[in-house]
């Protein structure tokens, strides 16, 4: 019996429609990131977050809703400014920390100055989580003062990243191999300016174990989150502080 033919359906979408979709999706993602970065700030709330690690300025928390697992990593980075960290807090640099065997990482198109579509592709030698996976994601960056979730206003930088639906992704970038398009439901950074060129960094990633994440990996994710931020902190410390802008342009 012949094996079923994989579905290759793709959606043709106009530039304006794509921009409206990504704006709506990224705005929802940004609000979720802001809420996660503010909630249970001092570890004494009751909003569903379970603290897994709290030591030396590092907090790793986990929250589950149905089959969805959301992880939050929060670090106090001393002597690292928000501008320094934001230069490496992007989809491509984060992907390299997840798996060093990143075959291809490039910007497909810029919808606006702060809104881009990115392709991430991993190869045969990647870890099982990423082996032969392809992600077509949006990346949106915002600088804002947030006074809606806390009593005092916060000067923050937000980077929101998530996968586009497979049908839209196929229309933007047809598959050129047998790579399986992955699903990253939500991820991103909230970087809050503190005193003395320090910053509070919150990294949130939402995964679906029934989709692209093996269940056995979920229990080890907290360790990986620590490694990702530690590696990005090292990169950020090497970045110059003068003339840094929040941009996704290459």
């Amino acid at each position: 019996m012949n094996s079923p033919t994989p579905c290759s359906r793709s959606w043709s979408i106009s530039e304006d429609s794509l921009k409206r979709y990504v704006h709506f999706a990224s705005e929802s993602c940004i609000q979720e990131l802001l809420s996660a970065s503010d909630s249970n700030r001092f570890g004494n709330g009751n909003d569903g977050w379970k603290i897994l690690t709290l030591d030396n300025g590092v907090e790793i928390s986990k929250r589950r809703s149905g089959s969805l697992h959301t992880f939050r990593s929060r670090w106090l980075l001393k002597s690292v400014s928000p501008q320094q960290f934001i230069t490496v807090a992007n989809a491509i640099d984060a992907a390299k920390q997840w798996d060093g065997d990143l075959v291809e990482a490039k910007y497909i198109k810029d919808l606006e100055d702060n809104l881009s579509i990115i392709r991430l592709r991993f190869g045969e030698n990647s870890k099982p989580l990423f082996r032969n996976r392809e992600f077509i994601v949006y990346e949106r960056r915002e600088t804002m003062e947030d006074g809606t979730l806390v009593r005092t206003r916060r000067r923050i930088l937000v980077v929101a990243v998530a996968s586009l639906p497979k049908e839209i992704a196929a229309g933007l970038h047809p598959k050129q191999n047998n790579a399986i398009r992955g699903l990253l439901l939500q991820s991103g950074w909230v970087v809050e300016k503190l005193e003395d060129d320090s910053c509070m960094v919150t990294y949130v990633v939402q995964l679906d174990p029934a989709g692209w994440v093996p269940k056995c990996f979920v229990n080890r994710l907290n360790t990986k989150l620590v490694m990702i931020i530690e590696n990005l902190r090292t990169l950020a410390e090497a970045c110059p502080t003068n003339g840094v802008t929040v941009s996704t342009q290459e």
Side-chain angles (χ1 to χ4, degrees), residues 2 18 23 41 51 116 134 161 174 181 183-184 208 222 240-241:
N2 294 330
L18 176 64
H23 260 293
R41 187 63 179 273
I51 296 179
S116 301
E134 177 185 284
V161 179
R181 295 194 189 279
L183 177 62
L184 174 64
D208 180 6
N222 56 326
T241 56

Side-chain angles (χ1 to χ4, degrees), residues 51-121:
I51 296 179
L52 304 177
T53 302
L54 183 58
D55 186 36
N56 294 327
V58 180
E59 176 195 322
I60 305 293
S61 304
K62 174 183 176 182
R63 184 169 63 185
R64 180 174 179 177
S65 177
S67 65
L68 303 180
H69 292 254
T70 305
F71 288 81
R72 177 180 65 188
S73 178
R74 178 178 292 149
W75 282 52
L76 172 61
L77 300 184
K78 298 181 178 180
S79 301
V80 175
S81 70
Q83 289 75 20
Q84 282 177 288
F85 191 81
I86 210 70
T87 60
V88 297
N90 57 62
I92 292 177
D93 280 319
K96 290 178 182 177
Q97 305 310 318
W98 279 104
D99 192 313
D101 187 43
L102 184 63
V103 174
E104 184 178 2
K106 67 178 183 180
Y107 288 89
I108 295 178
K109 63 168 59 182
D110 290 322
L111 300 178
E112 293 181 354
D113 290 341
N114 66 337
L115 186 61
S116 301
I117 307 296
I118 300 172
R119 183 192 186 204
L120 306 172
R121 185 167 68 87

